[in-house]
Amino acid sequence: MSSSEPADPARGLPAESEDERWMRTALELAAGGQGRVEPNPMVGCVIVKQGHAIGQGFHQAFGGPHAEIDALRSLESIANAAGATAYVTLEPCCHHGKTPPCSEALIEAGLARVVVAMPDPFPKVDGGGLSRLRQAGIEVQLGVCQHEAEALNAPYLKRLRTGMPWVIAKWAMTADGRIATRDGESQWITGPQSRHHVHRLRGRVDAIIAGMGTVIADDPRLDARLTSAQGDPVSPPRVATRVVICNRRLPPLQSRLMQTAREIPTWLFHSDALQQAPTLGLVELGAKVIHVSGDSLGPMIPEVLRYLGGHEMTNVMIEGGPTLLGSFLDTTTDRFLIDECHVYVGAKLFGGQASPGPIAGRGIGPITSAPQMRLQGVDRFDSDVRLIYRVTE
């Protein structure tokens, strides 16, 4: 979640309003649902009366109470909500889904004012929640910290707008931009803390995408292996579906992916070139085999993303080599099909022209065609650094 600069009257920056202060608290709460609420959006709510927060909550799990309900339940007494202000990061819903409408709950509780960061473009809401509140005589203010709210729920908004999931590319590279030595060695560029953090990232996405080059070279499991501070195994927020894009070959039956396909969902997307290939053994091991048109990775990628989005996947992560990453750069339009990059930089130097970089393929022509990115965060793990970039429109 991006944040604006702090208020500093000496520098001429505007002072943060009371509404902004409470809304940023609600946004911090909302982020607690990351990896647990998708395909729903992350939402937080703070109930304020006479300048004090009397209740707060957030959407904690898909199918569970929404943020407004969670906040109302946190009150010492529901009667305390009468005349209070609710700060909500997303327009309250107005339809019966897995839970009753939050707009009706706020009305029944007697809220006097509802401050909303952004409207919800979901077709069953899309302004209806705001209208219902206003019809009930509640004062409604929209647009407080809207930019921050949109940044927090950018993956949700993208899937609604395009039908495709938010695509996170992850790679580890040396300080001089190499992902392997000239002999092909890549384990390990980064240290244990960085690798642990990658497992946390795996544990909050809907799918992990790899290519056959990675499957053959590394024989990975592509799962999230988390541990507690005491070293005990911990279940991740969600179990990512393992997606393998198979252009010219299929995974070996004895690979770790196939041997664990009954434990962890494994989807194999194959091209026209493999339409006649025998897949029965893969299916018997538990894999789902899906045909997409195209005879190369470039045309296959958008179809795979549309398929994943159609199955309510909100966040997917690429854990592939340079060939697969390069295929997410649409060379016919110079459009980058990646939304966010997590770049782990290890404290090593490999050097040499034969040492590969993270993204292969045709690449960008003029520098003006390069995707523009904004730095979202910097984290340090021992001597390693993680850079998070988001591609701007």
Side-chain angles (χ1 to χ4, degrees):
M1 181 181 69
S2 63
S3 60
S4 62
E5 291 188 84
D8 184 353
R11 294 170 56 198
L13 297 176
E16 185 178 55
S17 71
E18 193 77 355
D19 284 349
E20 289 171 330
R21 181 167 72 89
W22 290 119
M23 188 61 77
R24 289 199 169 93
T25 299
L27 286 164
E28 290 173 3
L29 289 167
Q34 188 177 60
R36 303 179 188 278
V37 303
E38 293 85 356
N40 285 354
M42 293 175 277
V43 186
C45 177
V46 179
I47 300 175
V48 177
K49 195 170 188 178
Q50 298 177 349
H52 299 282
I54 61 172
Q56 63 182 33
F58 66 101
H59 187 28
Q60 299 187 33
F62 179 70
H66 287 186
E68 299 91 327
I69 307 302
D70 195 38
L72 289 170
R73 290 179 179 176
S74 75
L75 297 172
E76 289 187 7
S77 169
I78 193 65
N80 293 344
T85 296
Y87 293 87
V88 191
T89 60
L90 185 71
E91 176 182 1
C93 64
C94 54
H95 67 289
H96 284 271
K98 291 185 177 295
T99 60
C102 294
S103 55
E104 296 301 324
L106 295 174
I107 293 167
E108 291 172 9
L111 273 294
R113 182 169 178 255
V114 177
V115 181
V116 179
M118 60 172 289
D120 186 352
F122 184 63
K124 291 184 178 180
V125 183
D126 198 16
L130 301 176
S131 296
R132 182 68 190 95
L133 293 172
R134 291 184 175 119
Q135 289 167 4
I138 295 177
E139 179 188 346
V140 176
Q141 183 171 350
L142 176 66
V144 176
C145 298
Q146 182 165 342
H147 175 74
E148 290 95 327
E150 290 173 344
L152 178 67
N153 275 314
Y156 167 76
L157 296 173
K158 180 194 175 185
R159 190 173 60 81
L160 285 182
R161 186 180 69 252
T162 68
M164 293 185 180
W166 188 260
V167 179
I168 301 169
K170 186 279 301 180
W171 67 82
M173 68 182 189
T174 62
D176 59 339
R178 270 59 171 190
I179 64 166
T181 67
R182 65 184 183 188
D183 297 324
E185 292 184 53
S186 60
Q187 296 182 347
W188 296 100
I189 290 174
T190 56
Q193 282 194 27
S194 292
R195 299 198 296 274
H196 174 75
H197 206 271
V198 169
H199 282 275
R200 289 177 57 188
L201 182 58
R202 287 179 178 179
R204 72 165 179 85
V205 299
D206 295 298
I208 299 169
I209 303 175
M212 279 303 303
T214 296
V215 172
I216 297 298
D218 299 339
D219 191 22
R221 280 180 56 97
L222 297 179
D223 59 347
R225 299 184 292 279
L226 303 178
T227 57
S228 67
Q230 292 73 35
D232 299 319
V234 175
S235 297
R238 64 203 308 115
V239 176
T241 297
R242 302 176 304 184
V243 171
V244 183
I245 302 182
C246 312
N247 181 22
R248 299 291 176 182
R249 49 188 174 174
L250 294 165
L253 297 180
Q254 67 273 19
S255 65
R256 293 205 290 174
L257 281 177
M258 291 302 98
Q259 291 299 312
T260 56
R262 293 197 183 279
E263 304 167 27
I264 305 172
T266 305
W267 295 0
L268 310 177
F269 288 86
H270 69 88
S271 66
D272 292 339
L274 293 174
Q275 203 160 2
Q276 305 303 319
T279 59
L280 182 58
L282 299 168
V283 173
E284 289 177 340
L285 287 174
K288 180 177 180 179
V289 181
I290 305 146
H291 169 254
V292 292
S293 60
D295 57 1
S296 63
L297 287 174
M300 293 174 68
I301 298 297
E303 281 206 44
V304 170
L305 293 179
R306 281 190 286 270
Y307 188 95
L308 299 180
H311 285 73
E312 295 194 323
M313 291 191 177
T314 305
N315 295 279
V316 301
M317 180 171 69
I318 310 168
E319 286 229 43
T323 299
L324 181 64
L325 283 168
S327 299
F328 278 78
L329 179 59
D330 186 341
T331 55
T332 60
T333 63
D334 281 341
R335 183 190 170 199
F336 213 36
L337 295 176
I338 292 169
D339 300 292
E340 186 171 302
C341 299
H342 288 228
V343 184
Y344 292 81
V345 182
K348 292 181 175 67
L349 297 172
F350 287 169
Q353 292 183 341
S355 300
I359 301 178
R362 175 172 171 262
I364 289 293
I367 196 169
T368 53
S369 299
Q372 299 299 305
M373 301 193 296
R374 183 184 301 276
L375 183 64
Q376 293 290 115
V378 180
D379 301 293
R380 180 175 175 176
F381 308 108
D382 287 335
S383 296
D384 302 335
V385 175
R386 180 183 68 159
L387 306 173
I388 301 177
Y389 290 99
R390 277 195 177 181
V391 178
T392 59
E393 292 292 338

